[in-house]
Amino acid sequence: MVEGPGATRNGRKVQVAVGKSFVATPRAPDIGSIHEEVNASNETAPPTLPHHLAGELASHKLEDAFTVGKELFFIFTLGASVTEVALRLHFGMNGSLNARKVKSSDLRKRPSGVAPWKQKNEPSLRLYFIDESRSGFGGASNYVIVEAWDTTVTFPVSVQNSRNKLMDLTSRDACSTLFNAQDVFTAIRQSGNNLIISDALLNQDIFPGVGNIIKIESLHKSKIDPRKIVSSLTDAELRRIIRHSRKYSMDWLKSGRAGNKLVYNQTVCGTCQGMTVKMQKIGGSSSDGNNNVSGKGHAFMSRVTFWCTVCQPRNASGEDDGLLKIPSDPSNLGNMIGEGNSSSKAAKTTDRPTAQCPQHGLKSLKLCRVRKGNQNTLRIFFTCKLKGCQYFAWADNQFSNCRCGKKAVLRVSKTERSGGKWFLCCALGDKSMKSNIPNGCGHFEW
């Protein structure tokens, strides 16, 4: 997941191309060595992507590149004129960027530091820049190649709006060197006072750079329930949230990796060690004070959120409803389904499944899910954590069969009313639901 720290690091990489001129493809005299060494099949240097930029950016120079929150902007100028055009990148969930200096003979070499599976795919963006002030032996030019994968490319965008965004939001950017906590505090109070705190933190016009992981972990460290309305928070609580958001962001920026995750994607709280982590898809609207946390009109802020119901109580008494109950013993999977509901069809038996690696015992068990597209897709199974051990056992032997005659699969609800509650369903979905694979029987049971 690319949040503010990742976008900021990508913005720093691009600085190597600032001040250099864009070229659609390397000039023919410069790629002669490529033909001699690796181009026997009449291949040329990879094209500019998206293709239309080859003409749109002809004769332009990269004047500036800057990051605002999760967005990266390129500002181009045309020759000696003051005409400017802007390009915007948004990295989404899995976006990445690589910028590197190369010589003419190395234009087709694969970039280092990029995942091999991404290198096999065509990038979303590929731009060539030439440094005309420096040239190698024999007149060979030096280039900078900027490539981005799984990234949304928008061109053109308003240069004025891009620069205004930089000026207006820099002091509130979680990763900015000019960060001002008081500006963030004021913006949240003025523009987000009627929002739940989860939405206020994700709003990029209020606190740019904060993403779902930063939001979840900073709220946990601040001991604040993500469903609380901003107006109900004291000034001290809000300042504590801002401080932890900034610290988590800067630690991530410096190390290049997200910090320790105490509740994000966890089942056991990393602080209190209790099985009290709740997962629910919340956010997307202002609150009217009636516990409305899933409203309309802001779907981009409706995200799966994790929090500890003990460390982050919703009210002063520390009470909360609907704890996410997950057994610490993975072999106790059968008792998890239908817990608290003896009439549940899923609770076929009270006997615990007997899963145990014969060589390494119970503690070595790992619960996995079939991800490959075959007849067992989404089924869960036990395997051994230790390398080389071939232990395997299905973990769903006690689950009922769906009407298709196959084992029902275990899923978890992410809705507002039943978030964290487990259910069994058909792996192929429901024929009546257009969003699902239209081959399922629609089987469902809590």
Side-chain angles (χ1 to χ4, degrees):
M1 181 179 295
V2 182
E3 303 191 10
T8 300
R9 290 174 69 90
N10 288 338
R12 292 177 178 178
K13 296 175 185 177
V14 174
Q15 297 307 310
V16 69
V18 173
K20 297 177 175 58
S21 299
F22 168 81
V23 290
T25 53
R27 292 178 295 186
D30 295 328
I31 62 174
S33 57
I34 300 178
H35 286 272
E36 295 171 6
E37 298 174 16
V38 298
N39 208 28
S41 61
N42 294 323
E43 295 182 9
T44 59
T48 293
L49 295 173
H51 297 291
H52 68 89
L53 293 182
E56 298 277 4
L57 295 177
S59 303
H60 283 71
K61 177 185 288 187
L62 183 59
E63 185 69 24
D64 198 5
F66 54 83
T67 305
V68 181
K70 303 177 186 179
E71 302 172 295
L72 175 57
F73 295 93
F74 293 55
I75 307 297
F76 294 89
T77 57
L78 178 60
S81 69
V82 294
T83 303
E84 293 182 321
V85 293
L87 179 148
R88 170 188 176 270
L89 298 182
H90 191 280
F91 298 98
M93 293 290 291
N94 301 303
S96 61
L97 182 141
N98 179 274
R100 61 193 186 279
K101 294 181 178 180
V102 298
K103 293 183 179 180
S104 300
S105 58
D106 297 329
L107 284 168
R108 296 195 63 83
K109 284 188 176 180
R110 290 185 176 182
S112 60
V114 177
W117 62 270
K118 285 195 174 184
Q119 293 184 20
K120 296 178 181 179
N121 299 330
E122 190 172 72
S124 309
L125 177 80
R126 182 189 292 121
L127 300 178
Y128 293 98
F129 299 90
I130 187 170
D131 187 353
E132 298 175 334
S133 64
R134 301 179 62 185
S135 60
F137 177 76
S141 298
N142 291 320
Y143 291 93
V144 174
I145 304 177
V146 177
E147 292 178 306
W149 288 264
D150 300 324
T151 300
T152 300
V153 181
T154 307
F155 179 89
V157 295
S158 169
V159 174
Q160 188 63 43
N161 290 346
S162 302
R163 293 195 183 279
N164 286 345
K165 183 172 283 191
L166 175 66
M167 296 298 294
D168 295 341
L169 299 180
T170 293
S171 66
R172 287 182 256 148
D173 191 324
C175 296
S176 172
T177 56
L178 301 177
F179 179 79
N180 187 313
Q182 183 59 42
D183 287 354
V184 178
F185 177 86
T186 301
I188 293 178
R189 282 297 190 207
Q190 291 181 348
S191 303
N193 218 35
N194 293 324
L195 299 173
I196 60 172
I197 185 60
S198 179
D199 279 358
L201 292 178
L202 288 183
N203 191 317
Q204 297 301 292
D205 292 328
I206 296 176
F207 203 168
V210 173
N212 204 38
I213 296 176
I214 297 173
K215 174 202 78 176
I216 290 170
E217 292 301 324
S218 61
L219 286 174
H220 177 72
K221 291 186 177 182
S222 303
K223 303 184 184 302
I224 301 297
D225 188 296
R227 300 165 294 178
K228 280 193 172 183
I229 308 170
V230 172
S231 59
S232 70
L233 299 174
T234 66
D235 287 354
E237 288 175 328
L238 184 54
R239 293 185 191 281
R240 187 163 69 244
I241 294 169
I242 295 170
R243 184 173 69 252
H244 282 298
S245 298
R246 166 67 169 178
K247 186 178 187 307
Y248 196 93
S249 299
M250 292 305 293
D251 288 345
W252 189 344
L253 178 63
K254 292 174 183 177
S255 68
R257 294 181 177 274
N260 187 29
K261 300 180 182 69
L262 299 175
V263 289
Y264 178 81
N265 221 16
Q266 305 295 319
T267 56
V268 176
C269 174
T271 300
C272 69
Q273 301 301 311
M275 292 181 291
T276 51
V277 176
K278 184 169 184 176
M279 176 184 68
Q280 183 178 323
K281 193 170 186 178
I282 65 173
S285 77
S286 60
S287 174
D288 57 7
N290 294 319
N291 299 331
N292 174 23
V293 293
S294 63
K296 302 176 182 179
H298 300 83
F300 65 95
M301 288 191 289
S302 181
R303 304 293 298 275
V304 175
T305 302
F306 299 81
W307 71 96
C308 174
T309 54
V310 173
C311 298
Q312 300 164 259
R314 190 167 188 175
N315 52 50
S317 65
E319 297 177 354
D320 202 346
D321 54 351
L323 298 184
L324 174 60
K325 300 178 181 179
I326 298 179
S328 57
D329 181 353
S331 69
N332 196 22
L333 197 62
N335 291 336
M336 177 172 63
I337 304 298
E339 183 173 330
N341 182 7
S342 59
S343 63
S344 170
K345 295 180 182 178
K348 297 291 185 183
T349 178
T350 57
D351 296 331
R352 293 170 54 145
T354 56
Q356 182 169 313
C357 176
Q359 287 183 280
H360 307 107
L362 179 64
K363 292 185 178 180
S364 69
L365 284 185
K366 182 170 71 170
L367 190 62
C368 302
R369 188 183 293 274
V370 177
R371 297 296 182 184
K372 295 182 179 180
N374 57 39
Q375 61 180 0
N376 293 316
T377 299
L378 298 181
R379 289 186 64 183
I380 54 178
F381 61 91
F382 292 114
T383 186
C384 183
K385 297 178 182 178
L386 300 182
K387 187 176 181 179
C389 183
Q390 301 298 314
Y391 176 75
F392 173 91
W394 288 114
D396 58 1
N397 290 330
Q398 293 182 317
F399 293 176
S400 60
N401 290 337
C402 68
R403 292 191 294 273
C404 297
K406 299 180 179 180
K407 281 292 182 183
V409 296
L410 179 66
R411 308 302 295 266
V412 62
S413 172
K414 300 174 184 177
T415 63
E416 177 183 347
R417 292 185 177 182
S418 59
K421 190 174 179 180
W422 296 89
F423 62 91
L424 294 175
C425 66
C426 176
L428 298 179
D430 188 340
K431 293 180 180 179
S432 65
M433 298 181 65
K434 296 180 180 180
S435 59
N436 288 335
I437 302 172
N439 296 320
C441 64
H443 176 82
F444 176 91
E445 54 184 310
W446 290 111

Coordinates of all heavy atoms in Angstrom, one line a residue, residues 179-222:
F179 N 6.3 20.6 7.9 CA 5.1 20.2 8.6 C 4.8 21.1 9.8 O 5.7 21.4 10.6 CB 5.2 18.7 9.1 CG 4.0 18.2 9.8 CD1 2.9 17.8 9.2 CD2 4.1 18.1 11.2 CE1 1.8 17.3 9.9 CE2 3.0 17.6 11.9 CZ 1.9 17.2 11.3
N180 N 3.5 21.4 10.0 CA 3.1 22.2 11.2 C 1.9 21.6 11.8 O 0.8 21.6 11.2 CB 2.8 23.7 10.7 CG 2.5 24.6 11.9 OD1 1.8 24.3 12.8 ND2 3.1 25.8 11.8
A181 N 2.1 21.0 13.0 CA 1.0 20.3 13.6 C -0.2 21.2 14.0 O -1.3 20.7 13.9 CB 1.5 19.6 14.9
Q182 N 0.1 22.4 14.2 CA -1.0 23.4 14.5 C -1.9 23.6 13.3 O -3.2 23.7 13.5 CB -0.5 24.7 15.0 CG -1.6 25.7 15.4 CD -2.5 25.2 16.6 OE1 -2.0 24.6 17.5 NE2 -3.8 25.4 16.4
D183 N -1.3 23.6 12.1 CA -2.1 23.8 10.9 C -3.1 22.5 10.7 O -4.2 22.7 10.3 CB -1.2 23.9 9.7 CG -0.6 25.3 9.7 OD1 -0.9 26.1 10.5 OD2 0.3 25.5 8.8
V184 N -2.5 21.3 11.0 CA -3.4 20.1 10.9 C -4.5 20.2 11.9 O -5.6 19.9 11.6 CB -2.5 18.9 11.1 CG1 -3.4 17.6 11.0 CG2 -1.4 18.8 10.0
F185 N -4.2 20.5 13.1 CA -5.2 20.6 14.2 C -6.3 21.6 13.8 O -7.5 21.2 13.9 CB -4.5 21.1 15.5 CG -5.4 21.3 16.6 CD1 -5.7 20.2 17.5 CD2 -6.0 22.5 16.9 CE1 -6.6 20.4 18.5 CE2 -6.9 22.7 18.0 CZ -7.2 21.7 18.8
T186 N -5.9 22.7 13.3 CA -6.9 23.7 12.9 C -7.8 23.2 11.8 O -9.0 23.4 11.8 CB -6.2 25.0 12.5 OG1 -5.4 25.5 13.6 CG2 -7.3 26.1 12.1
A187 N -7.2 22.6 10.8 CA -7.9 22.1 9.6 C -8.9 21.0 10.0 O -10.0 20.9 9.5 CB -6.9 21.5 8.6
I188 N -8.5 20.1 10.9 CA -9.4 19.0 11.4 C -10.6 19.6 12.1 O -11.7 19.2 11.9 CB -8.7 18.0 12.2 CG1 -7.6 17.2 11.4 CG2 -9.6 17.0 12.9 CD1 -6.8 16.2 12.2
R189 N -10.3 20.6 13.0 CA -11.4 21.2 13.8 C -12.3 22.0 12.8 O -13.5 22.0 13.0 CB -10.8 22.2 14.8 CG -10.2 21.5 16.1 CD -11.3 20.8 16.8 NE -10.9 20.3 18.1 CZ -11.4 19.2 18.7 NH1 -12.4 18.6 18.1 NH2 -11.0 18.9 19.9
Q190 N -11.8 22.7 11.8 CA -12.6 23.5 11.0 C -13.4 22.7 9.9 O -14.5 23.0 9.6 CB -11.8 24.6 10.3 CG -11.3 25.7 11.3 CD -10.4 26.7 10.6 OE1 -10.0 26.6 9.5 NE2 -10.1 27.8 11.3
S191 N -12.7 21.8 9.3 CA -13.3 21.1 8.1 C -13.7 19.6 8.5 O -14.5 19.1 7.7 CB -12.2 21.0 7.0 OG -11.8 22.3 6.6
G192 N -13.3 19.1 9.6 CA -13.6 17.7 9.9 C -14.3 17.5 11.2 O -14.4 16.4 11.7
N193 N -14.8 18.5 11.8 CA -15.4 18.4 13.2 C -16.6 17.5 13.2 O -16.9 16.9 14.2 CB -15.7 19.8 13.7 CG -15.4 19.9 15.2 OD1 -14.4 19.3 15.7 ND2 -16.2 20.6 15.9
N194 N -17.3 17.4 12.1 CA -18.5 16.5 12.1 C -18.3 15.2 11.5 O -19.2 14.4 11.3 CB -19.6 17.2 11.3 CG -20.1 18.5 11.9 OD1 -20.2 18.5 13.2 ND2 -20.4 19.5 11.1
L195 N -17.0 14.9 11.1 CA -16.6 13.6 10.6 C -16.2 12.7 11.7 O -15.8 13.1 12.8 CB -15.4 13.7 9.7 CG -15.6 14.6 8.4 CD1 -14.3 14.7 7.7 CD2 -16.6 14.0 7.5
I196 N -16.3 11.3 11.5 CA -15.6 10.4 12.4 C -14.1 10.6 12.2 O -13.7 11.0 11.1 CB -16.1 9.0 12.2 CG1 -15.7 8.5 10.8 CG2 -17.5 8.8 12.5 CD1 -16.0 7.0 10.6
I197 N -13.3 10.4 13.2 CA -11.9 10.6 13.2 C -11.2 9.8 12.1 O -10.3 10.2 11.5 CB -11.2 10.4 14.5 CG1 -9.8 10.8 14.5 CG2 -11.4 9.0 15.0 CD1 -9.5 12.2 14.2
S198 N -11.8 8.6 11.8 CA -11.2 7.8 10.7 C -11.3 8.5 9.4 O -10.3 8.5 8.6 CB -12.0 6.5 10.7 OG -11.5 5.6 9.6
D199 N -12.4 9.1 9.1 CA -12.5 9.9 7.8 C -11.7 11.1 7.8 O -11.1 11.5 6.8 CB -14.0 10.2 7.6 CG -14.8 9.1 7.0 OD1 -14.2 8.0 6.8 OD2 -16.0 9.3 6.9
A200 N -11.7 11.8 8.9 CA -10.9 13.1 9.0 C -9.4 12.9 8.7 O -8.8 13.6 8.0 CB -11.1 13.7 10.4
L201 N -8.9 11.8 9.2 CA -7.5 11.5 8.9 C -7.2 11.1 7.5 O -6.1 11.4 6.9 CB -7.0 10.4 9.9 CG -6.9 10.7 11.4 CD1 -6.5 9.5 12.2 CD2 -6.0 11.9 11.6
L202 N -8.1 10.4 6.9 CA -7.9 10.0 5.5 C -8.2 11.0 4.5 O -7.9 10.9 3.3 CB -8.8 8.7 5.2 CG -8.4 7.4 5.8 CD1 -9.3 6.3 5.4 CD2 -7.0 7.0 5.5
N203 N -8.9 12.1 4.9 CA -9.2 13.2 3.9 C -7.9 13.9 3.5 O -7.3 14.6 4.3 CB -10.2 14.2 4.6 CG -10.8 15.2 3.6 OD1 -10.1 15.7 2.8 ND2 -12.1 15.4 3.8
Q204 N -7.6 13.8 2.2 CA -6.3 14.3 1.8 C -6.3 15.8 1.6 O -5.2 16.4 1.4 CB -6.0 13.7 0.4 CG -5.7 12.2 0.5 CD -4.6 11.8 1.4 OE1 -3.5 12.1 1.2 NE2 -5.0 11.2 2.5
D205 N -7.5 16.5 1.7 CA -7.5 17.9 1.8 C -7.3 18.5 3.2 O -7.1 19.7 3.4 CB -8.9 18.4 1.3 CG -9.0 18.2 -0.2 OD1 -8.0 18.2 -0.9 OD2 -10.2 18.0 -0.7
I206 N -7.4 17.6 4.2 CA -7.2 17.9 5.6 C -5.8 17.5 6.1 O -5.0 18.3 6.6 CB -8.3 17.3 6.5 CG1 -9.6 17.9 6.1 CG2 -8.0 17.6 8.0 CD1 -10.8 17.2 6.9
F207 N -5.5 16.2 5.8 CA -4.2 15.7 6.4 C -3.6 14.9 5.2 O -3.6 13.6 5.3 CB -4.5 14.8 7.6 CG -3.3 14.7 8.5 CD1 -3.5 14.1 9.8 CD2 -2.0 15.0 8.2 CE1 -2.4 13.9 10.7 CE2 -0.9 14.9 9.0 CZ -1.1 14.3 10.3
P208 N -3.0 15.5 4.2 CA -2.4 14.7 3.1 C -1.3 13.8 3.5 O -0.5 14.2 4.3 CB -1.9 15.8 2.1 CG -1.8 17.0 3.0 CD -2.8 16.9 4.1
G209 N -1.3 12.6 2.9 CA -0.2 11.7 3.1 C -0.6 10.6 4.1 O 0.0 9.5 4.1
V210 N -1.6 10.8 4.9 CA -2.1 9.7 5.8 C -2.9 8.7 5.0 O -3.9 9.1 4.4 CB -2.9 10.3 7.0 CG1 -3.5 9.2 7.8 CG2 -2.0 11.2 7.8
G211 N -2.5 7.4 5.1 CA -3.3 6.3 4.5 C -3.8 5.4 5.6 O -3.8 5.7 6.8
N212 N -4.4 4.3 5.2 CA -5.1 3.4 6.1 C -4.2 2.9 7.2 O -4.6 2.8 8.3 CB -5.8 2.3 5.3 CG -7.0 1.7 6.0 OD1 -7.7 2.5 6.7 ND2 -7.1 0.4 6.0
I213 N -3.0 2.5 6.8 CA -2.1 1.9 7.8 C -1.7 2.9 8.9 O -1.8 2.7 10.1 CB -0.8 1.3 7.2 CG1 -1.2 0.1 6.3 CG2 0.2 0.8 8.3 CD1 -0.1 -0.5 5.5
I214 N -1.3 4.1 8.4 CA -1.0 5.2 9.3 C -2.1 5.6 10.2 O -2.0 5.8 11.4 CB -0.5 6.4 8.5 CG1 0.8 6.1 7.7 CG2 -0.2 7.6 9.5 CD1 1.2 7.2 6.8
K215 N -3.3 5.6 9.6 CA -4.5 6.0 10.4 C -4.8 5.0 11.5 O -5.0 5.3 12.7 CB -5.7 6.0 9.4 CG -7.1 6.2 10.1 CD -8.2 5.7 9.2 CE -8.3 4.2 9.3 NZ -9.5 3.7 8.5
I216 N -4.7 3.7 11.1 CA -5.0 2.6 12.1 C -4.0 2.6 13.2 O -4.4 2.5 14.4 CB -5.1 1.3 11.3 CG1 -6.3 1.2 10.4 CG2 -5.1 0.1 12.3 CD1 -6.3 0.0 9.5
E217 N -2.8 2.6 12.9 CA -1.7 2.5 13.9 C -1.6 3.8 14.8 O -1.4 3.7 16.0 CB -0.4 2.2 13.3 CG -0.3 0.8 12.7 CD -0.6 -0.3 13.7 OE1 -0.2 -0.2 14.8 OE2 -1.2 -1.3 13.3
S218 N -1.8 4.9 14.2 CA -1.8 6.2 15.0 C -3.0 6.3 16.0 O -2.8 6.7 17.1 CB -1.7 7.4 14.1 OG -2.8 7.5 13.3
L219 N -4.1 5.8 15.5 CA -5.3 5.8 16.4 C -5.1 4.8 17.5 O -5.5 5.1 18.7 CB -6.6 5.5 15.6 CG -7.1 6.6 14.7 CD1 -8.3 6.1 13.9 CD2 -7.5 7.8 15.6
H220 N -4.5 3.7 17.2 CA -4.2 2.7 18.3 C -3.3 3.3 19.3 O -3.5 3.1 20.5 CB -3.7 1.4 17.7 CG -3.3 0.4 18.7 ND1 -4.3 -0.3 19.4 CD2 -2.1 0.0 19.2 CE1 -3.7 -1.1 20.3 NE2 -2.4 -1.0 20.2
K221 N -2.2 3.8 18.9 CA -1.2 4.4 19.8 C -1.8 5.6 20.6 O -1.4 5.8 21.7 CB 0.0 4.8 19.1 CG 0.8 3.6 18.5 CD 2.1 4.1 17.9 CE 2.9 2.8 17.5 NZ 4.3 3.2 16.9
S222 N -2.8 6.2 20.0 CA -3.4 7.3 20.7 C -4.6 6.9 21.6 O -5.2 7.7 22.3 CB -4.0 8.4 19.7 OG -2.9 8.8 18.9

